[in-house]
Amino acid sequence: MRILLLTGLAPLLDNRIAGAAVVDRLRHYRNFCEVRAVSPVNIVSSDILGRFSQRFSRYPPKKLLIEDDLEIDYPRYFLVPRDKPIERIVRTISMRLRPDVIITHWGPTGWGACSAATKMGVPHVQFFHGSDIHDLRFKNHRSHEKTKSLIQASDICFFVSEGLKKLSESKYGTARNSFVSPNGINTEIFRVLPEQRQKEPGVTIGYIGRFEPIKGVDNLPGVFDRIRKARNDIPIKFVLVGEGSLRKSVERQLQSSGISHVSIGFVDQKRLAEVMNDLDVLLVPSRNEGWGSVILESIACGTPVVATKVGGTPEAIGNSYNGILVEPGNSFLDRFAQAAIELLENPREPEILAQYASQFSWANIVGREMRIMKETLAID
């Protein structure tokens, strides 16, 4: 079987772990079939504006080698909207590759890819990760209608959580064939590291992710402050990992409140696993979350999680031993901080947490996806 995979989620020059869920899928697809990966890039933002602004110089050259036998193409296109140029990219590559199926990750990339697949008579499979369903940027009428058409025209739609699937059905109607397939974890990297968990006196609490409004990071200073005051009897280290538009604002608030913290930018997965092993509790205060890969990665490293009860977070946490879910609403900061304190006072066994997370290995996730595609599309 030959697969053409298009994605709007892919590694960037300043963030090589961007699109990690897609890259990990690619690694395992190779065990089943031939696959070509493509991430179309608007030439205006990547090449022209990139000469004048560091913000737009983050896109890789036209080809990026991920590892020895895994690469992603970054073909440029010029026109906006993206539908027609992406459709042309798909048709051009398909003339050489002759794919048996076209897979797209991230909704807006699928608008043009699905159209091309339909015209060529090739099955189209669409993956939705969260922001492409609930993000405010896509709530105008035109985007709504395009996403609705994409869902109804695709031969298979995969959603990273049951919560995201239900939200999609309420907004766009029922897909022809819809399945839930969460993002997996690399269990060779995200695992309990005994030497890393031998800690100094005190506790470490952290946030790992994008510093954007949807992630609820503006709540972190208030939560940190409440934890610090409630447990002033023990040394507490607060750790922030990631980048985004609100990072400097969050850091300023912490500094003005006199809250000492360690701030780290984007790191590779190996370093991320080390940080997770160093934490006693991970905080995920998201306002919405399609799935929450960071939750499972943390659990795999033996660290419990406090998360807002939204989207796919209940499915990722799984049970009350792995972490605590906090309902959004009144007194959220107080309740979120108290949940973190409860986990500090009732520590979990790392190996028990890791055992739960092991079922979400990429081998299991991709193996199931391949079975679904072959059976549903009748492809050998």
Side-chain angles (χ1 to χ4, degrees):
M1 182 167 70
R2 291 184 298 275
I3 290 176
L4 171 58
L5 184 146
L6 288 95
T7 177
L9 309 168
L12 301 170
L13 293 179
D14 62 348
N15 181 10
R16 292 296 291 264
I17 66 170
V22 177
V23 173
D24 281 323
R25 276 187 171 88
L26 283 172
R27 290 191 178 103
H28 286 80
Y29 281 159
R30 294 178 302 175
N31 297 328
F32 298 91
C33 58
E34 177 185 350
V35 59
R36 171 88 178 271
V38 178
S39 183
V41 177
N42 187 327
I43 195 172
V44 174
S45 62
S46 66
D47 296 344
I48 298 177
L49 293 181
R51 298 176 185 175
F52 307 101
S53 171
Q54 185 176 1
R55 174 187 173 191
F56 295 104
S57 62
R58 55 203 311 237
Y59 296 98
K62 294 184 179 181
K63 191 181 294 290
L64 182 65
L65 186 67
I66 306 299
E67 51 195 49
D68 288 345
D69 56 346
L70 178 61
E71 61 185 21
I72 297 178
D73 293 331
Y74 291 80
R76 270 43 175 178
Y77 65 90
F78 189 77
L79 298 177
V80 177
R82 72 185 79 197
D83 310 28
K84 293 300 180 182
I86 288 182
E87 182 176 334
R88 285 196 294 271
I89 289 171
V90 171
R91 293 174 69 88
T92 299
I93 296 175
S94 296
M95 289 177 64
R96 299 191 299 271
L97 182 64
R98 303 289 182 184
D100 297 295
V101 61
I102 295 173
I103 298 176
T104 310
H105 287 264
W106 203 62
T109 304
W111 297 343
C114 183
S115 176
T118 300
K119 292 176 181 178
M120 294 186 297
V122 178
H124 179 258
V125 176
Q126 179 68 42
F127 280 78
F128 290 99
H129 291 262
S131 62
D132 40 9
I133 294 294
H134 60 63
D135 198 307
L136 290 173
R137 289 175 294 173
F138 308 125
K139 288 190 175 179
N140 61 66
H141 178 72
R142 180 176 178 275
S143 296
H144 181 277
E145 290 304 305
K146 283 183 174 293
T147 301
K148 182 178 180 179
S149 297
L150 170 63
I151 289 172
Q152 295 177 351
S154 295
D155 295 275
I156 296 176
C157 287
F158 282 108
F159 300 88
V160 292
S161 68
E162 185 65 36
L164 187 67
K165 177 173 172 285
K166 289 180 178 178
L167 177 62
S168 175
E169 290 173 348
S170 70
K171 290 166 63 69
Y172 304 111
T174 305
R176 194 184 311 176
N177 295 291
S178 61
F179 301 90
V180 173
S181 187
N183 290 329
I185 53 174
N186 187 333
T187 52
E188 294 181 0
I189 294 177
F190 295 100
R191 57 189 177 87
V192 176
L193 303 173
E195 68 281 3
Q196 198 73 28
R197 302 198 70 86
Q198 296 175 0
K199 303 173 182 176
E200 300 175 357
V203 297
T204 304
I205 298 173
Y207 168 81
I208 298 173
R210 293 186 294 120
F211 281 75
E212 301 296 342
I214 194 70
K215 296 298 184 179
V217 291
D218 51 301
N219 290 316
L220 290 174
V223 171
F224 284 0
D225 188 50
R226 285 163 172 77
I227 295 172
R228 178 185 61 165
K229 290 176 179 177
R231 291 307 310 266
N232 58 11
D233 57 317
I234 56 174
I236 301 179
K237 181 169 72 173
F238 297 105
V239 177
L240 303 174
V241 181
E243 296 283 358
S245 62
L246 295 182
R247 176 174 168 172
K248 290 184 178 179
S249 173
V250 170
E251 290 179 339
R252 282 195 298 268
Q253 291 180 59
L254 291 173
Q255 291 167 359
S256 65
S257 300
I259 301 174
S260 177
H261 65 282
V262 176
S263 188
I264 307 171
F266 285 122
V267 295
D268 62 26
Q269 288 189 326
K270 183 179 179 181
R271 176 64 182 130
L272 200 59
E274 293 173 351
V275 173
M276 288 176 171
N277 271 271
D278 195 44
L279 298 179
D280 292 278
V281 177
L282 176 73
L283 306 183
V284 183
S286 301
R287 291 187 169 87
N288 215 328
E289 197 72 60
W291 169 240
S293 295
V294 70
I295 292 174
L296 268 181
E297 291 166 350
S298 178
I299 293 171
C301 291
T303 299
V305 180
V306 177
T308 316
K309 189 178 181 180
V310 291
T313 60
E315 298 167 63
I317 286 184
N319 60 59
S320 59
Y321 190 84
N322 297 334
I324 298 176
L325 293 163
V326 179
E327 294 276 2
N330 295 334
S331 304
F332 175 76
L333 296 182
D334 292 330
R335 292 183 288 111
F336 202 89
Q338 185 55 46
I341 293 169
E342 182 178 333
L343 288 180
L344 291 177
E345 295 175 347
N346 298 278
R348 277 36 174 178
E349 286 294 330
E351 295 296 344
I352 295 178
L353 296 177
Q355 181 60 39
Y356 165 81
S358 65
Q359 65 183 299
F360 296 96
S361 70
W362 276 114
N364 289 342
I365 298 297
V366 171
R368 178 175 175 271
E369 289 174 0
M370 293 300 296
R371 288 193 298 273
I372 289 173
M373 286 190 284
K374 288 183 177 181
E375 292 172 4
T376 305
L377 303 176
I379 298 175
D380 294 330

